[in-house]
Amino acid sequence: MRSLPRFHAHAAAILLAAAAVLSAGSALAQCNAAGQWRQSSPTVGASDWHLTPKGGNRYDAREQGLGNAVGTATVNGNVLRIEWRTGNWSGAYQWQLDRSCNQGQGQLKFFTGRSDTLASSVQRVGQAPAAKASGGGYWARWVSGSWSSGWAYYDESYIKAYRRPVCGHGNACSCSGRNYCGAYPSGSMAPTWPQGCNQPSIQIRCETRMGSPSSPPRP
């Protein structure tokens, strides 16, 4: 195994960059929309929607007030959409929620009964569902021969965001006209340039272990 000059000095930088890369992706995980929401749309009025999880990113949606409509809600990232029907009327609300997943702005579009589109806002009523206790997460590190970046713990929200354990690569990863930064599944390889783009790259491998935050893997 050839030596890795200056590479040990990059361990902390790799861990910090990995956390930033994975946190950015984790922010795209689905909002948990279960519970009660209050929408307000000009000329139409306000009503409350009660969302009950059906599985995946889908919810049963029941309106309290106005037309007492029923329908299905879906969440994609931070976009909450409710397609509804009541009598001969139907339409869809769609809102872009904020990072806290507690309020947002969007529109109400009618499909039948009328055909216009109105501005709409929504806000969660009460507290968001409590997060589950951590314990379903994993440890991750980059390795190359006898060198490793050290273990870092990521909770279950990262698995939900990426569908599997991954390592984040965000340091010394963009050279030779290509950008290799991003999230890598366990066992995959990635190049890095610890001495700069004008020097040869080395290959590092993502290694992950399932576990709790209180029990890091042994070196």
Side-chain angles (χ1 to χ4, degrees):
M1 173 65 185
R2 61 186 175 88
S3 62
L4 305 177
R6 294 175 54 194
F7 197 58
H8 291 274
H10 284 257
I14 284 178
L15 287 177
L16 288 173
V21 168
L22 295 188
S23 292
S26 182
L28 298 177
Q30 309 290 355
C31 286
N32 184 351
Q36 183 178 351
W37 296 80
R38 181 161 299 143
Q39 72 77 27
S40 180
S41 305
T43 75
V44 171
S47 63
D48 287 355
W49 282 93
H50 299 266
L51 306 186
T52 305
K54 296 179 64 176
N57 66 334
R58 295 166 59 84
Y59 302 78
D60 280 323
R62 293 186 174 274
E63 184 182 34
Q64 182 179 358
L66 294 180
N68 294 309
V70 295
T72 299
T74 56
V75 178
N76 288 296
N78 279 50
V79 176
L80 171 60
R81 179 180 176 87
I82 301 177
E83 295 195 9
W84 56 268
R85 176 177 292 277
T86 177
N88 294 325
W89 294 69
S90 66
Y93 292 97
Q94 183 164 304
W95 303 282
Q96 178 74 44
L97 302 179
D98 63 9
R99 291 180 65 87
S100 70
C101 293
N102 287 324
Q103 60 185 353
Q105 301 292 324
Q107 63 181 25
L108 163 61
K109 181 177 178 61
F110 290 93
F111 299 152
T112 59
R114 52 194 285 184
S115 59
D116 52 339
T117 300
L118 305 173
S120 180
S121 62
V122 72
Q123 183 167 352
R124 191 188 295 272
V125 177
Q127 297 294 319
K132 294 182 179 179
S134 183
Y138 67 97
W139 291 86
R141 68 177 179 177
W142 288 103
V143 297
S144 179
S146 60
W147 174 89
S148 84
S149 63
W151 292 105
Y153 184 77
Y154 301 95
D155 64 30
E156 59 268 29
S157 67
Y158 291 90
I159 297 179
K160 292 179 180 178
Y162 294 99
R163 310 299 182 191
R164 54 188 170 180
V166 296
C167 296
H169 190 18
N171 182 67
C173 51
S174 181
C175 288
S176 301
R178 295 187 62 181
N179 186 350
Y180 294 92
C181 304
Y184 287 78
S186 182
S188 58
M189 306 291 293
T192 188
W193 286 262
Q195 300 182 79
C197 292
N198 61 336
Q199 297 295 320
S201 67
I202 66 166
Q203 291 291 314
I204 54 178
R205 177 173 55 84
C206 171
E207 184 176 300
T208 64
R209 305 269 182 88
M210 301 303 293
S212 67
S214 60
S215 301
R218 293 181 178 179

